[in-house]
Amino acid sequence: MDNKLQIYNTLDRKKELFTPLHPPLVGLYVCGPTVYGDPHLGHARPAITFDILFRYLSHLGYKVRYVRNITDVGHLENDADAGEDKVAKKARLEQLEPMEVVQYYLNRYHKAMDALNVLPPSIEPHASGHIIEQIQLVKEILDKGFAYESQGSVYFDVPKYNKEHKYGILSGRNIEDMLNTTRELDGQEEKHNSVDFALWKKAAPEHIMHWPSPWSEGFPGWHLECTAMSKKYLGEVFDIHGGGMDLVFPHHECEIAQSVASMGQEAVRYWMHNNMITINGQKMGKSLGNFITLEEFFTGNHAMLSQSYAPMTIRFFILQAHYRSTVDFSNDALLASEKGLARLMEAYNNIERIEAKQNGENAEIKALEAKCYEAMNDDLNTPIAISNLFEATRIINSAIAGQLSVSQSDIDNLKKLFETFLFDLMGIKDEMKDGNTSYESFAKAIDLLLDMRQQAKQNKDWATSDKIRNELTTIGFEIKDTKDGFEWKLNK
RNA sequence: GGUUCCUUGGCCGAGUGGCUAGGCACCGGUCUGCAAAACCGUCUACGGCGGUUCGAAUCCGCCAGGAACCUCCA
């Protein structure tokens, strides 16, 4: 397929034509979650953003190997190089095996991602399962002279690296500024420079998770896992590395340094970063305690929510903003998304009611597909693609209302437009119908009731007619009369 | 303090020099037994001040306000 996909590369801060290293193969690596708590709205953003990329690249005909890691060791509290491991801390607090904590939250993460219709990645490697690879990487960096051992721990020598290569190319920082502004923290006396970061940490006696290594009984530094695992599964150089913008520094900057130090070249060709979800203008995050978990959205069990929200509403809400913009969460914004999505779904479900009344092809309808592709090619501009689907919705509704006559070919084009862009690429699904085997029987029963109401209406028995409508409305159905019958839908 | 970035109509949110998305809400009309929905129409904004240009939301400068990162966070 003719590829015109432009993606914004954080490395040079502009959009570039995407050209894979080894077409038709594409290597995609995305930083996954640290599994020590329930997934919240912030986790949904990168998962959905890169799910769209995964789906679109596959749609374009690429064979994508999508690797999304699970951080289950090495991610420390308070500081990247000192403090307590997040997973281990949770395990200690809850008196569980660390792997019990990991498994519990990983299951919940998977469940939430599944609800959001996020496709599973091709490979989901765990950091703890790749200790050997990480130790090997530390050895290579030591061999090249860009790291040093200190009291059983190994640190990356950032100033030395910076003399031969530039440290800070991704985040736009320079090392002098960092040396002047980095705070003094505990446990840094082992480091030669405050900007150095840990590759291997010697475990304190109370530390639960540790492995043998040439330097000490210990555990790998956080930045190491992504470099080691991406190399193992995608090769020394691969196409796209994604993650949240908050990972640009230091995590991704350190990954670049590790790759260059060990291999002499950068591993990643395109760096992509999704922006944050904010709440009252501030980043939604664990540290600020202002996050809302996905489960709370699905159940509506949160003070800021006026009701429960379907997973698809959350997904649609996220897709209505460009992935590089911050998106400010509010209950009102979510309500607006819910209504908007319902409008799209209804239009799609009603396409079959359009009667073909002419031949030929409507140019405006035909153009929508090209416009949607154009939007997706422009750095995955889902809000523009969605706006075109709303144009299609207007056309569908006009045709049903008899204010516009279209051909069978137009109808097919409209149907295909929704199926390609809304369902296949943006990953929206009909939560009522998909996977619900009893839906058909259920729908027939409602149709039967409404047929009876039609009879009553014909007999001008408004009492019976209104009773059926009102009671169904109370249960949560929305009943609409049309000129040739009726429509219904169940609101959640 | 350093680095990066943002400020669009009642709300959300696209848009990098002229063609000024889209959704939600509101209002008016059509349709309807009533209603709902739908359709049509209305409302037409770009933080402030300058500059460049025939022309700027869009480029440049200054000012104001805000955010992210610099410490774990998607």
Side-chain angles (χ1 to χ4, degrees), chain A residues 74-93 206-209 219:
Chain A
H75 207 163
L76 306 181
E77 289 281 334
N78 305 322
D79 174 49
D81 302 327
E84 196 169 5
D85 184 287
K86 280 176 183 293
V87 171
K89 181 182 181 186
K90 193 85 186 179
R92 184 173 57 74
L93 290 175
E206 66 274 19
H207 215 98
I208 322 175
M209 291 194 286
F219 56 93

Side-chain angles (χ1 to χ4, degrees), chain A residues 362-376 384-396 410 413-418 420-421:
Chain A
N362 182 314
E364 194 188 354
I365 295 172
K366 188 67 188 164
L368 290 173
E369 183 188 42
K371 285 181 180 175
C372 284
Y373 274 116
E374 201 179 316
M376 292 302 287
I384 292 289
I386 289 171
S387 77
N388 284 299
L389 293 177
F390 277 111
E391 289 301 321
T393 295
R394 187 179 49 74
I395 290 169
I396 290 166
D410 293 329
N413 284 339
L414 286 166
K415 203 160 185 313
K416 184 168 170 245
L417 189 75
F418 275 75
T420 301
F421 292 96

Side-chain angles (χ1 to χ4, degrees), chain A residues 317-342:
Chain A
F317 170 69
I318 287 174
L319 292 176
Q320 274 188 298
H322 188 263
Y323 77 90
R324 281 189 291 110
S325 301
T326 56
V327 51
D328 197 54
F329 158 80
S330 70
N331 189 64
D332 285 348
L334 224 45
L335 280 172
S337 287
E338 183 178 75
K339 288 188 180 172
L341 178 58

Side-chain angles (χ1 to χ4, degrees), chain A residues 3-4 14 19 35 98 103 119 128 132 144 188 231 238 335 339 347 362 367 383 390 397 399 408 439 442 459 469:
Chain A
N3 176 25
K4 292 175 181 145
K14 61 185 182 199
T19 51
V35 279
Q103 193 64 56
L119 297 173
S128 65
I132 291 169
K144 296 283 164 67
Q188 296 212 336
K231 182 178 171 185
F238 61 96
L335 280 172
K339 288 188 180 172
N362 182 314
F390 277 111
N397 288 333
Q408 187 56 47
Y439 179 79
F442 166 77
N459 299 334
R469 183 176 68 194

